[in-house]
């Protein structure tokens, strides 16, 4: 009797094990599932890892937080990325990404700048969405709002920085009917403005369609 019980228990255990394996066996390492929906992991850093390779004043570093966000990519699939922002705006960023996900506004990827060796050009060329980068305004000694994690650039290729008729990243175009383009009447612009952010697409001397920033009082 004891013998049969052992056989029954061990075959039950292998049955459960086999079932578990068949559930996780086909999911590649960079994917997880949320409910029934697969999620593709674009970024999986700790804050410490994501701040490697750059010198940041301690007073700035202690203001920063790494936030996980999810969004639909241009492939129509759900992705998980990460963004380093100022702690004072992380709640805004989470809420705004909820709007981005719910409205299925496509975002190419959201990966911290360490992946691009802190090069804004490389990040823009890869159509990456990012916030914190300890850098100056282009061609100046003035720290950018990105240096305090209070600015974010979204889909740079669809939403270029336009100055004196030249677009960054190189080869990018601003076309209102392109998917992933931020338009004056986009839900995303509304979501930022409602929370006190301003949009670079409203600027007069130059246009920075990818850029939103928040000035703290
Ligand atoms: Zn920017």
């Amino acid at each position: 009797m004891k013998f049969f019980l052992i056989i029954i228990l061990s075959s039950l255990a292998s049955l459960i094990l086999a079932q578990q394996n068949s559930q996780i066996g086909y999911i590649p390492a960079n994917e997880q599932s949320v409910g029934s929906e697969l999620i593709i992991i674009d970024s999986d850093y700790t804050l410490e890892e994501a701040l490697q390779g750059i010198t940041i004043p301690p007073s700035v570093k202690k203001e920063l937080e790494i936030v996980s966000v999810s969004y639909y990519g241009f492939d129509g699939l759900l992705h998980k990325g990460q963004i380093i922002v100022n702690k004072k705006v992380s709640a805004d960023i989470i809420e705004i990404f909820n709007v981005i996900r719910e409205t299925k506004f496509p975002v190419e990827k959201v990966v911290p700048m360490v992946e691009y060796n802190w090069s804004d050009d490389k990040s823009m060329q890869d159509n990456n969405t990012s916030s914190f980068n300890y850098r100056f305004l282009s061609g100046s000694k003035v720290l950018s709002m990105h240096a305090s994690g209070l600015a974010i650039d979204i889909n740079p290729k669809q939403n270029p920085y336009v100055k004196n008729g030249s677009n960054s990243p190189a080869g990018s175009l601003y076309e209102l009917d392109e998917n992933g383009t931020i338009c004056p009447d986009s839900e995303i612009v509304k979501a930022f403005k409602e929370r006190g952010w301003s949009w670079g697409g409203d600027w007069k001397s130059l246009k920075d369609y990818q850029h939103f920033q928040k000035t703290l009082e």
Side-chain angles (χ1 to χ4, degrees):
M1 184 64 195
K2 213 173 183 179
F3 179 69
F4 282 114
L5 201 67
I6 289 166
I7 290 177
I8 290 165
L9 281 178
S10 67
S11 51
L12 202 69
S14 58
L15 202 75
I16 291 167
L17 219 67
Q19 206 172 23
Q20 277 179 346
N21 283 342
S22 75
Q23 273 171 6
I24 58 170
Y26 68 94
I27 302 175
N30 67 334
E31 295 176 7
Q32 291 172 3
S33 60
V34 176
S36 60
E37 195 162 11
L38 275 183
I39 186 159
I40 295 165
I41 310 298
D42 292 337
S43 178
D44 194 20
Y45 287 104
T46 63
L47 180 62
E48 221 35 59
E49 288 166 348
L51 292 178
Q52 293 290 313
I54 196 167
T55 309
I56 311 161
S59 59
V60 172
K61 198 171 175 176
K62 73 174 191 337
E63 297 267 278
L64 301 173
E65 182 176 353
I66 192 163
V67 172
S68 289
V69 290
S70 58
Y71 45 88
Y72 286 94
F74 287 89
D75 53 9
L77 300 173
L78 193 61
H79 291 241
K80 187 207 126 193
Q82 292 176 304
I83 191 158
I84 299 176
V85 291
N86 194 294
K87 287 174 185 168
K88 297 194 180 90
V89 299
S90 57
D92 286 357
I93 291 298
I94 289 165
E95 287 169 14
I96 291 162
F97 266 90
N98 287 341
V99 173
I100 287 175
R101 191 182 58 250
E102 280 157 18
T103 57
K104 295 210 168 181
F105 176 88
V107 173
E108 180 87 43
K109 54 171 67 173
V110 185
V111 179
M113 294 299 295
V114 65
E115 188 118 333
Y116 302 94
N117 247 325
W118 300 96
S119 161
D120 189 39
D121 277 341
K122 283 186 192 156
S123 173
M124 283 198 294
Q125 278 298 344
D126 202 31
N127 208 20
N128 183 46
T129 293
S130 70
S131 171
F132 174 73
N133 190 359
Y134 199 70
R135 64 174 165 90
F136 299 99
L137 288 177
S138 72
S140 85
K141 285 272 161 68
V142 180
L143 278 171
S144 154
M145 293 285 281
H146 289 280
S148 44
L150 295 171
I152 179 171
D153 293 334
I154 298 172
N155 287 347
K157 282 198 167 173
Q158 286 77 27
N159 303 286
Y161 171 92
V162 182
K163 193 180 180 185
N164 302 328
S166 100
N167 289 12
S168 298
S172 59
L173 291 172
Y174 183 63
E175 291 180 295
L176 289 175
D177 55 357
E178 273 297 312
N179 215 6
T181 300
I182 301 162
C183 311
D185 60 353
S186 292
E187 282 298 319
I188 174 169
V189 172
K190 208 172 114 199
F192 274 105
K193 287 184 178 176
E194 277 172 1
R195 291 166 179 83
W197 294 64
S198 55
W199 179 41
D202 289 330
W203 295 349
K204 299 282 177 271
S205 58
L206 61 86
K207 296 286 187 188
D208 196 356
Y209 294 107
Q210 63 196 262
H211 181 99
F212 294 89
Q213 66 178 50
K214 188 171 188 175
T215 305
L216 300 174
E217 277 134 41

